[in-house]
Amino acid sequence: MADNPADAADAEPTLEEQIAAYQREFQDLDPQVEQIVSALGRLNRRMNVAYGRQTASLGITNAEWEVLKALVLSGAPYRMGPGDLAKRLGLTPAAMTHRIDRMVAEGLVTRDRDESNRVRVIVELTTEGRAKWLEAMRAASGFEEDLLQDLSPEERGVLGEVLTRLLRRVEDAQPDAGGRLTDLT
Amino acid sequence: MADNPADAADAEPTLEEQIAAYQREFQDLDPQVEQIVSALGRLNRRMNVAYGRQTASLGITNAEWEVLKALVLSGAPYRMGPGDLAKRLGLTPAAMTHRIDRMVAEGLVTRDRDESNRVRVIVELTTEGRAKWLEAMRAASGFEEDLLQDLSPEERGVLGEVLTRLLRRVEDAQPDAGGRLTDLT
DNA sequence: TGTGTATAGTTTAGATCCTAACTTTAGCTT
DNA sequence: AAGCTAAAGTTAGGATCTAAACTATACACA
């Protein structure tokens, strides 16, 4: 995660050039829609690169940071089962087993059998894991403040509201066979 | 890519619950900033899942779709070198070699040595590859229209403009050692 | 009890990616 | 021309992920 090739200055065309190229190759395109979608995708990619740099400088990976986040958000005493963690992060249980292996080795979490139900396993945040999360959180929120610095309070409000509305639309709607979103309401 | 665990309905807390949890665990947090950032990240993840379902139903992967996009956007005659493709997609040249292997085997692209400079290799879109791109493009833009359907023209304009401004900020600013964005202007 | 079934997690095999070393070609420099 | 250096791509080995088989535990019901 430290030196991903995605970090490199990547000879990408500007957003304007890219949209012009799409219009040239696909006449049916709505340039306004494409601008929103392309900007969204690229912004997200850049942000993940930035997060990756920050977590790497703290000696953890983005993957580990995700696990720390899930545990902290679950609230004290910061315990979850591997299966719940896997669902929460969109991973297979197998991948979670390995990820937890690594994090136990680094002292970020502990793994113990649940004595009241010996099929279950309890992953618990260590003090060190909680401290790492806090450091990463501070760095991330500083970066996020910088990113949004030029937006007026009104713009922030509109942006948050509109993005939330879009999110609700993807989360609530069920795509049909062709991938179109059909309203459930 | 077809049946990623990320596709599953993932027991994720609602955005509101998540922001409340962040505030509980990290008092310095600006809820408005967190709403924007969280909605952005989750929206992007859901959209990628949707794209993945669509490309899978066309018999290609999202990874292959990215290559097709880069080639089409480069314009006729739809040729690029593996190195340029790798930079464009944020992959290592090694990964691109393997990805092209697969796509050649599937008939989406051809790979030939450049006879005018025998160190170089030319990857060229096939007719079938171009057709696949067009199908995927139609599906994607349909989905994108559905997604933005509830946004007024004014909202679309503001959203596109604000996202573009944010993107410019990450692309132009150089993060310092702590990951903070410093203006270059 | 005993057995069937479901659940939780791990293990194994295969896929894709990254890092690093290597090969081939081109272009300088002397 | 000979050799140095840089550039483009491939190969080899390790890391992390998915899919599928497997193990262990718990619970229901005869």
Side-chain angles (χ1 to χ4, degrees):
Chain A
M1 184 69 63
D3 278 311
N4 250 359
D7 292 20
D10 42 354
E12 210 172 8
T14 67
L15 198 60
E16 291 76 19
E17 288 166 352
Q18 180 173 322
I19 293 170
Y22 268 122
Q23 286 189 283
R24 174 169 42 77
E25 301 291 335
F26 186 71
Q27 281 73 23
D28 294 10
L29 192 77
D30 180 336
Q32 203 173 36
V33 169
E34 186 57 37
Q35 180 176 5
I36 293 172
V37 170
S38 292
L40 201 72
R42 279 166 75 149
L43 181 57
N44 203 79
R45 195 150 37 84
R46 301 283 187 165
M47 287 176 66
N48 285 336
V49 170
Y51 291 137
R53 262 196 284 259
Q54 291 184 323
T55 52
S57 82
L58 296 175
I60 61 178
T61 65
N62 265 355
E64 290 166 339
W65 187 39
E66 283 173 27
V67 177
L68 297 180
K69 272 196 289 192
L71 285 168
V72 168
L73 288 180
S74 77
Y78 310 119
R79 290 182 192 153
M80 290 180 76
D84 295 330
L85 278 169
K87 273 192 210 113
R88 178 78 183 63
L89 302 188
L91 294 181
T92 58
M96 192 51 66
T97 293
H98 297 315
R99 202 181 271 195
I100 292 169
D101 286 346
R102 300 191 289 273
M103 293 181 72
V104 167
E106 294 168 32
L108 297 170
V109 299
T110 58
R111 167 163 46 190
D112 293 293
R113 281 214 166 271
D114 181 347
E115 287 306 327
S116 72
N117 180 343
R118 298 190 41 77
V119 180
R120 291 176 183 279
V121 165
I122 298 174
V123 178
E124 181 172 335
L125 202 57
T126 62
T127 307
E128 185 188 342
R130 184 144 168 46
K132 277 287 178 196
W133 170 81
L134 188 59
E135 283 186 82
M137 191 66 197
R138 269 200 257 269
S141 77
F143 163 74
E144 291 160 1
E145 284 287 356
D146 290 345
L147 177 65
L148 300 183
Q149 160 185 305
D150 294 339
L151 265 52
S152 69
E154 295 75 30
E155 286 174 324
R156 296 188 186 202
V158 172
L159 181 58
E161 192 276 325
V162 169
L163 288 177
T164 304
R165 191 140 38 101
L166 292 180
L167 179 62
R168 205 170 346 256
R169 183 153 182 82
V170 232
E171 290 188 342
D172 293 352
Q174 210 62 308
D176 66 16
R180 305 299 297 249
L181 293 178
T182 18
D183 246 321
L184 292 183
T185 55
Chain B
M1 183 70 65
D3 277 312
N4 250 359
D7 291 22
D10 41 355
E12 209 172 9
T14 67
L15 199 60
E16 291 74 20
E17 288 167 353
Q18 181 174 320
I19 292 170
Y22 268 122
Q23 286 189 283
R24 173 169 41 76
E25 301 291 335
F26 186 71
Q27 280 74 21
D28 294 9
L29 193 77
D30 179 335
Q32 203 175 36
V33 169
E34 186 57 36
Q35 180 175 5
I36 293 171
V37 169
S38 291
L40 201 72
R42 278 165 76 147
L43 181 57
N44 203 78
R45 194 152 36 86
R46 302 281 187 166
M47 288 174 67
N48 285 336
V49 170
Y51 290 137
R53 263 196 283 258
Q54 291 185 323
T55 52
S57 82
L58 296 175
I60 61 178
T61 64
N62 265 354
E64 290 166 337
W65 187 39
E66 284 172 27
V67 177
L68 297 180
K69 272 197 288 192
L71 284 168
V72 168
L73 288 179
S74 76
Y78 309 118
R79 292 183 191 153
M80 290 180 76
D84 296 329
L85 278 169
K87 272 191 211 114
R88 179 78 185 61
L89 302 188
L91 294 182
T92 59
M96 192 51 65
T97 293
H98 298 314
R99 202 180 271 194
I100 292 169
D101 286 346
R102 300 191 289 272
M103 294 182 73
V104 168
E106 294 168 34
L108 297 170
V109 299
T110 58
R111 167 164 44 189
D112 293 292
R113 283 215 165 270
D114 182 346
E115 287 306 327
S116 71
N117 181 342
R118 299 188 41 77
V119 181
R120 291 176 182 279
V121 166
I122 298 175
V123 178
E124 181 173 335
L125 203 58
T126 63
T127 307
E128 185 188 342
R130 183 142 171 46
K132 277 288 178 196
W133 170 81
L134 188 59
E135 283 186 81
M137 190 67 198
R138 269 199 257 270
S141 77
F143 163 74
E144 291 159 3
E145 284 288 354
D146 290 346
L147 177 65
L148 301 183
Q149 159 184 307
D150 294 339
L151 264 53
S152 70
E154 296 74 31
E155 285 174 324
R156 294 188 187 202
V158 173
L159 181 58
E161 192 275 327
V162 169
L163 288 177
T164 304
R165 191 139 38 101
L166 292 181
L167 178 61
R168 204 170 346 256
R169 184 155 182 80
V170 233
E171 290 188 342
D172 293 352
Q174 210 62 309
D176 67 16
R180 305 299 296 251
L181 293 179
T182 18
D183 245 319
L184 292 183
T185 55

